Amino acid sequence: MRDLATLPKAHLHLHLEGGMRPGTLTDLAAGYGVPVPRIRGFGSFRAFASTYLAACDVLRTEDDFTRLVDETLDDAADSGAVWIEVAFHPAHHRPRFGTDEQVVELVLAAMATASDRTGVGAGLMLSADRTKPPSDAVELAHLACRYANAGVVSFGLANDEQLGAPEAYVEAYAIARSCGLLSTPHAGELCGPDSVRGALDALGADRIQHGVRAIEDPALVARLADERVCLDVCPTSNLALGVVERMADHPLPALLDAGVPCSINADDPLLFGPGLLEEYELCRSELALDDASLAAAAGASIDHSAAPADVKAAALAAIGDWLA
């Protein structure tokens, strides 16, 4: 059996604070005298979101952020990742760090240092928040463009899909795409195929974070396959938040069989448990994906990332070697 840790891959759906190690959360919370948030058994997206914000609360100094970024790239390297795109919403940290520019520059600097140390390429996805008005997304898109040649590579849209249809964010995405950023919104998680169509038609999505409920519309599945739009799939997250009732019901195998490019990702390992490598192993053991399918998912993660051309070429060649 081939070792999945040696399969080159990219991690394209990972929220920075949600990738924190449980031990780091415990250490930081103890140091600041705050209770450790409950991190399992959410039952609803709202409960998950409140726990995520509690994790943000323990990031109070530059050293805290540096530790988080260092450990995130170490974990990526251990999982066999050669590229990572970390989603981040800087407004969560305004109370302690001042301007959004300051916190973005802090994260980018830490990412550059950790990337040099680990050899894992890294880009930042600035992600708008559906709990805020679309005007906030426009401001964030302008900020993302200011750092488009300094480490910001994509523009996301996260939080509860039911609070904001993709069409409300047309202006923000037009700005982000105008400066060369990939369009990478969440869609097709809590809402169905219409959300995925909106991400395609209104936001020009290059990749869709989740997107798995596209399976409910065969014509949409065919479109995703034809247009080569990658779905950044997170199986354990989908199970934990009730998108699927059982792991055996997950549509990833069917999407791959239909020719839809899909990457495999962890979303928020702090909250859901498995990291990137464990998600690949789960897809092998519980979704019965064979090595050819797992290599195809890894290849899609590389192809559809913002990694430099030389990184992509080397990784794709190495995936071929792994499968051969």
Side-chain angles (χ1 to χ4, degrees):
M1 183 177 293
R2 295 176 180 88
D3 183 0
L4 288 168
T6 64
L7 173 63
K9 56 187 76 70
H11 202 177
L12 302 181
H13 190 160
L14 175 70
H15 300 274
L16 180 58
E17 300 91 341
M20 185 184 296
R21 294 174 179 173
T24 299
L25 175 63
T26 300
D27 288 348
L28 294 177
Y32 294 121
V34 298
V36 176
R38 183 183 180 194
I39 60 173
R40 300 303 295 270
F42 303 108
S44 71
F45 190 89
R46 179 174 295 180
F48 154 75
S50 64
T51 306
Y52 187 95
L53 291 175
C56 293
D57 184 51
V58 302
L59 294 167
R60 301 190 178 190
T61 68
E62 291 187 10
D63 286 345
D64 295 341
F65 264 110
T66 298
R67 175 179 177 177
L68 173 59
V69 171
D70 278 343
E71 292 176 350
T72 297
L73 267 74
D74 284 337
D75 293 343
D78 290 343
S79 293
V82 300
W83 176 264
I84 184 170
E85 286 177 33
V86 184
F88 183 61
H89 184 66
H92 290 322
H93 305 282
R94 284 175 187 160
R96 294 191 176 92
F97 291 91
T99 67
D100 289 354
E101 287 85 353
Q102 288 174 302
V103 71
V104 167
E105 289 175 6
L106 167 61
V107 171
L108 287 174
M111 285 175 60
T113 300
S115 181
D116 287 343
R117 178 177 57 79
T118 61
V120 177
L124 189 63
M125 179 195 304
L126 287 190
S127 188
D129 187 338
R130 280 183 160 102
T131 67
K132 307 292 177 62
S135 58
D136 279 35
V138 170
E139 292 180 12
L140 187 64
H142 283 299
L143 176 66
C145 283
R146 290 202 290 276
Y147 293 93
N149 295 311
V152 174
V153 298
S154 50
F155 192 72
L157 175 62
N159 219 311
D160 190 342
E161 253 181 297
Q162 298 172 97
L163 300 179
E167 290 79 4
Y169 301 91
V170 169
E171 183 180 358
Y173 272 81
I175 293 165
R177 295 199 315 272
S178 74
C179 60
L181 299 178
L182 293 178
S183 170
T184 55
H186 281 60
E189 179 192 18
L190 303 183
C191 295
D194 284 346
S195 176
V196 176
R197 274 189 291 271
L200 296 171
D201 295 336
L203 307 184
D206 299 293
R207 301 197 318 262
I208 294 176
Q209 309 272 281
H210 294 300
V212 291
R213 290 191 59 190
I215 199 68
E216 299 167 18
D217 184 338
L220 180 57
V221 171
R223 178 182 176 185
L224 291 167
D226 290 343
E227 297 182 7
R228 310 305 296 161
V229 176
C230 185
L231 304 184
D232 295 331
V233 177
C234 307
T236 300
S237 169
N238 294 159
L239 180 65
L241 295 180
V243 179
V244 295
E245 291 186 6
R246 304 177 306 150
M247 188 58 72
D249 299 328
H250 200 281
L252 177 58
L255 290 164
L256 289 170
D257 287 346
V260 177
C262 295
S263 65
I264 296 169
N265 307 273
D267 200 355
D268 296 285
L270 170 67
L271 307 176
F272 302 128
L276 178 60
L277 177 59
E278 290 77 18
E279 291 287 355
Y280 271 81
E281 292 170 341
L282 178 150
C283 288
R284 173 187 266 170
S285 63
E286 298 197 35
L287 297 181
L289 294 187
D290 61 18
D291 284 357
S293 296
L294 293 165
S301 74
I302 299 295
D303 266 332
H304 295 270
S305 74
D310 60 335
V311 173
K312 288 186 176 184
L316 292 171
I319 291 170
D321 293 340
W322 182 88
L323 191 59

